[in-house]
Amino acid sequence: MVEARTIPGRTDHVVIVGAGLSGLSAALHLAGAGREVTVLESAPGPGGRAGRERMGDYTIDTGASVLTMPELIDEALAAVGTSLEAEVALTQLHPAYRARFADGSAIAVHTDAAAMEDEVRRVAGPKEAAGYRRLRAWLNDLYRVQRDRFIGANFDSPFDLVGPDLVKLAALGGFGKLGPAVGRFLSDQRLQRLFSFQSLYAGVPPSRALAAYAVIAYMYTVAGVYFPHGGVGAVAQAMADAAGRAGVRFRYSTSAAWLERVGSRVGAVRTTAGERVACDAVVLTADLPAAYRLLGITPRRPLALRYSPSAVVLHTGVRGDWSDLGHHTISFGAAWKRTFDEITRRGTPMSDPSLLITRPTATDPGLAPEGRQQISVLAPCPNLRTGPIDWRRVGPAYRDEVVRVLHDRGLTGFDDAIEVQRLVTPADWAAAGLAEGTPFSVAHTFAQTGPFRPRNLVPGVDNVVLAGCGTTPGVGIPPVVISGRLAAQRVAGRLPSAGKAGRHGKSVSGL
């Protein structure tokens, strides 16, 4: 495989704009490669879309709440001589999550093969259990084919894909559709949902998503789901702390205003306070439109970028133990295809929503006062382009609708138990600078996947690299952490830490 391009010229001092997980990953890898690094972050602390805040006496994760593939974070920390195990107390969730269905049935999703096979046999019989075994083998094969070549590598051209791995991916059915692919193994509709709903995080319904995106189901159902004590935001803080000890300078509450450019090179980042931060290279982790505004460019694409659906999130602090809820619970409505059509085409909220309910205090009681629980409820919804809803007006009524649905699905008295709450809608995501009011960025359609996704090198600008969920490889904690490493490789070339074994003893050169 031909080595991917690196940026030309000096790269001694790198300025990273944004201290989210991609910026932190890039900072750690670049520090490990001997670069001087300065990180500018508009917020008062690290994390970005994986941050944490206080809500009264409760601690909440403001964005990502599901952590998979922690060895990628371990790899970034290894670049500066530490490990995730040394920095954060991490618990693997057993089961990874629980699913509740409209017919009253429930399924625990285990990442252990034998435990999950037993669970499938219990709820659906021996034929489905055999189908699960074949599905798990297929997910493992998909992961092995994709991890290094398709997910963990920089692309300079679509032709970079051509090779034996592309043939293997095609032979596995990776270019078919996800829903039918899962249906080849499982006929029970509940199980089909469990192994295909994850495509919505990539912005595409299962019926239209590439089967290759079953790799997300691999992360959730095979690789394992983890929780860091202190919340997912504790991982970001640990990465920032480790980077700081390695000499990385962090400038919080400092926003980039524009990039000072002479010809094809940026020589400094100008802040909104008028400060000039000189540099040899820049890594931009802002959402794509914001990154392009800083650059003063409008990239040409044959088709306009399509963005993923958004989400309404209700963060609550509640009285009681709510022990019937697992750490992660997915509450599926009776409707399926119609609800995807509503949020991706019609531009309306789900009429029979499927909800992600997260109770992190099931694992870390310290996130709430004694005798209380912190519970967050995520409801997928249209982005602001697909559904230009006035969320400032509609939000409170929709909050009441979500709580009513929870009540009807067995969380009796939930509304009365709420002590403190915060509602986040697409309007809030937009106010935070996220394009089209979605935290999930550019959708993973075929035309926005792999080498067709916005690349991390910027045409016409020699020494700027992009990172984050809008560029390669994509959305979610594992891809975002990888994007930081890929950006660092564009700056420094082959990294001394790339491919080291993580805390779980796996090679992490890709996923």
Side-chain angles (χ1 to χ4, degrees), residues 17 28 31 52 59 89 116 120 146 166 202-203 213 228 232 303 309 324 337-338 383 387 414 430 437 466 474 495:
V17 178
L28 288 163
R52 61 177 174 176
T59 299
M116 190 62 198
V120 171
Q146 293 186 72
L166 184 66
Y213 281 107
V232 173
L303 299 172
D324 287 347
K337 292 182 180 179
R338 184 187 79 221
N383 64 43
F414 182 76
L466 304 181
L495 299 171

Side-chain angles (χ1 to χ4, degrees), residues 68-345:
T68 62
M69 312 299 289
E71 56 266 31
L72 291 167
I73 297 165
D74 200 36
E75 177 193 41
L77 291 166
V80 295
T82 186
S83 68
L84 186 57
E85 187 173 33
E87 303 291 337
V88 180
L90 203 65
T91 298
Q92 185 171 6
L93 302 183
H94 299 291
Y97 53 94
R98 302 178 188 275
R100 295 179 172 184
F101 298 89
D103 64 1
S105 62
I107 299 175
V109 179
H110 300 277
T111 51
D112 176 77
M116 190 62 198
E117 184 178 336
D118 288 345
E119 180 73 351
V120 171
R121 184 180 293 107
R122 179 187 70 81
V123 299
K127 183 178 178 181
E128 293 296 277
Y132 163 73
R133 286 199 302 271
R134 295 193 302 273
L135 172 64
R136 187 180 177 99
W138 179 67
L139 291 174
N140 274 288
D141 289 341
L142 276 178
Y143 165 70
R144 281 193 292 267
V145 168
Q146 293 186 72
R147 67 180 180 187
D148 295 331
R149 190 69 176 272
F150 300 97
I151 300 172
N154 278 310
F155 293 103
D156 292 325
S157 163
F159 294 107
D160 290 348
L161 277 178
V162 177
D165 288 334
L166 184 66
V167 175
K168 292 177 185 176
L169 184 58
L172 287 168
F175 296 107
K177 300 303 181 187
L178 175 61
V182 172
R184 293 200 310 268
F185 302 97
L186 301 167
S187 59
D188 187 293
Q189 291 189 358
R190 296 168 301 173
L191 295 172
Q192 289 179 6
R193 292 186 186 189
L194 282 181
F195 290 95
S196 64
F197 81 90
Q198 298 90 351
S199 72
L200 192 60
Y201 297 135
V204 188
S207 61
R208 302 203 304 268
L210 288 175
Y213 281 107
V215 73
I216 307 176
Y218 170 90
M219 296 176 191
Y220 278 63
T221 66
V222 178
V225 175
Y226 297 78
F227 187 73
H229 287 245
V232 173
V235 170
Q237 188 63 60
M239 294 172 76
D241 290 345
R245 295 195 301 269
V248 174
R249 293 189 297 271
F250 286 88
R251 303 280 305 281
Y252 295 118
S253 301
T254 302
S255 299
W258 53 284
L259 305 184
E260 182 182 293
R261 193 167 105 193
V262 176
S264 61
R265 291 189 72 85
V266 170
V269 178
R270 294 283 190 164
T271 72
T272 52
E275 184 181 2
R276 181 180 187 271
V277 184
C279 59
D280 299 311
V282 179
V283 175
L284 288 179
T285 73
D287 217 28
L288 283 178
Y292 293 145
R293 280 195 300 272
L294 287 172
L295 284 161
I297 64 172
T298 303
R300 296 178 180 177
R301 287 182 64 89
L303 299 172
L305 289 174
R306 286 181 53 192
Y307 282 79
S308 298
S310 186
V312 171
V313 184
L314 176 62
H315 298 291
T316 69
V318 297
R319 297 184 299 276
D321 66 6
W322 301 95
S323 55
D324 287 347
L325 291 174
H327 188 115
H328 296 296
T329 301
I330 301 172
S331 173
F332 287 105
W336 187 240
K337 292 182 180 179
R338 184 187 79 221
T339 56
F340 287 119
D341 190 57
E342 287 168 341
I343 64 172
T344 63
R345 290 181 169 172

